[in-house]
Amino acid sequence: AQNTMSSSTLSIKQAEQAFYRLDYEKALEITSQLLEESSMQNGEISRENGPLALLYGRIMFKMGQKQQEERLTKIIAKAKEKQDGMVDVLSDDDEEEMFDEEQDGEEDALEEAWNLLEMSRLCYEHAVQDNANDHESQRNLAEVHILEAQVLAEQDQFDEAVQEYIKCLKYISKDDLRKLSEVHCQIADYSMFSGDVDRAVKYYKEAANTMEKLIKESEDETDKEVLVDLHQRIEEVEKNPNKFKQQPSLENTLQDLNDPEQAQERRAKQEQEAQENNANVPVNVLQPRRQ
């Protein structure tokens, strides 16, 4: 049994090395074989399968991101061809149809990533139930929920992503101030994406408070810059919360917070363009523009 464990540990390291070299195919080959062997030997929901399923899920998430990028590139190319470059007038039905075409015959890597992460979650939850002092399993549970949040966010399910980030807080040590601050900030960011301004402000403030504690220990200049940025975000959102409750776009939400002056110029330009576009339109016949 000892020899088997040593061999498995070596193979996991090889898979991790391949992963960090961005050789996802090799990492996938090693990890999938190890997970199959471990499931047969130890059972599917075993402590031994936790790290394997987590690594496997991480690999599939990266492959899913690449898959999404490739699909988007193809969709844009088809849109340009279909609309002669007028991508902005492509209908939602057209986009969905082309997206479905790209999925035909292709396994959804993000869906598989989710399933593997769920498997890893169950493995680590059982481990923690058996041993409440299994801190390694608790740390890995936090990573599982973070990755699940990223999978959901990749599919624009921001509210669901926020819930996964909130779940992970349970497993992060209160002494790990940097990790806590990062997660608080992610919750706030995705809350902004979903238009939940009140929750965003709450967690931006949590992130700032945690960062202040960290700065007292580290005196790191980068951390100080992050804290300044967080305070600017809080001030901007609290000053005009209604602006951010209108389902802001991904490209503009954090840009508005990071550069308020540029954001103000952009909004002023948009308002001017809207006024010019509506100047010659008869009253009471304005039709909502299709998004």
Side-chain angles (χ1 to χ4, degrees), residues 105-129:
E106 184 178 25
E107 190 173 10
D108 191 329
L110 288 177
E111 182 178 350
E112 187 169 353
W114 176 268
N115 292 335
L116 287 158
L117 291 169
E118 280 290 277
M119 178 181 177
S120 180
R121 177 182 64 80
L122 290 173
C123 293
Y124 285 125
E125 282 182 350
H126 286 179
V128 171
Q129 288 172 5

Side-chain angles (χ1 to χ4, degrees), residues 192-193 204 229 232-237 239-240 243-268 270:
M192 291 298 295
F193 292 158
Y204 277 137
D229 175 69
Q232 288 176 343
R233 293 185 185 199
I234 293 167
E235 181 181 359
E236 175 70 11
V237 176
K239 184 167 61 177
N240 190 1
K243 178 187 71 174
F244 296 101
K245 290 183 178 180
Q246 302 173 355
Q247 291 293 94
S249 65
L250 282 176
E251 66 266 25
N252 290 333
T253 300
L254 294 183
Q255 179 183 339
D256 284 2
L257 293 174
N258 287 326
D259 194 341
E261 292 184 3
Q262 183 178 348
Q264 186 175 1
E265 293 177 4
R266 181 176 59 79
R267 289 195 297 274
Q270 288 176 337

Side-chain angles (χ1 to χ4, degrees), residues 34-204:
L34 284 171
L35 184 58
E36 182 179 354
E37 293 173 356
S38 178
S39 295
M40 293 178 62
Q41 181 177 349
N42 304 302
E44 189 170 277
I45 310 302
S46 63
R47 173 65 175 80
E48 291 80 2
N49 275 2
L52 290 169
L54 177 55
L55 177 57
Y56 201 160
R58 195 186 300 275
I59 295 167
M60 294 308 300
F61 171 61
K62 289 296 184 182
M63 295 180 74
Q65 285 184 309
K66 183 179 179 181
Q67 195 177 70
Q68 292 284 87
E69 291 171 2
E70 291 173 351
R71 287 173 181 168
L72 181 59
T73 300
K74 291 178 182 178
I75 288 172
I76 291 174
K78 286 187 177 182
K80 288 181 178 179
E81 180 180 349
K82 183 172 182 178
Q83 299 293 340
D84 193 25
M86 298 175 64
V87 182
D88 57 323
V89 298
L90 188 65
S91 72
D92 292 341
D93 290 340
D94 288 333
E95 290 183 5
E96 184 174 351
E97 178 183 348
M98 287 190 290
F99 187 79
D100 289 340
E101 288 177 5
E102 296 304 325
Q103 285 186 304
D104 287 344
E106 184 178 25
E107 190 173 10
D108 191 329
L110 288 177
E111 182 178 350
E112 187 169 353
W114 176 268
N115 292 335
L116 287 158
L117 291 169
E118 280 290 277
M119 178 181 177
S120 180
R121 177 182 64 80
L122 290 173
C123 293
Y124 285 125
E125 282 182 350
H126 286 179
V128 171
Q129 288 172 5
D130 292 339
N131 180 7
N133 294 319
D134 187 347
H135 300 301
E136 181 181 358
S137 290
Q138 292 176 7
R139 287 193 295 270
N140 285 324
L141 267 172
E143 290 304 314
V144 167
H145 284 298
I146 288 172
L147 274 170
E148 288 190 331
Q150 292 173 349
V151 170
L152 292 166
E154 190 72 22
Q155 300 170 90
D156 295 341
Q157 299 180 47
F158 300 118
D159 274 327
E160 293 84 351
V162 165
Q163 296 309 313
E164 291 301 322
Y165 275 118
I166 290 175
K167 290 176 185 176
C168 95
L169 290 172
K170 175 182 177 182
Y171 301 106
I172 299 177
S173 169
K174 301 304 179 186
D175 296 327
D176 193 348
L177 298 175
R178 189 173 302 282
K179 176 68 83 174
L180 285 171
S181 182
E182 290 172 357
V183 171
H184 288 149
C185 197
Q186 288 294 329
I187 294 172
D189 286 348
Y190 287 129
S191 295
M192 291 298 295
F193 292 158
S194 63
D196 192 335
V197 175
D198 294 336
R199 184 174 63 196
V201 170
K202 172 186 174 182
Y203 280 98
Y204 277 137

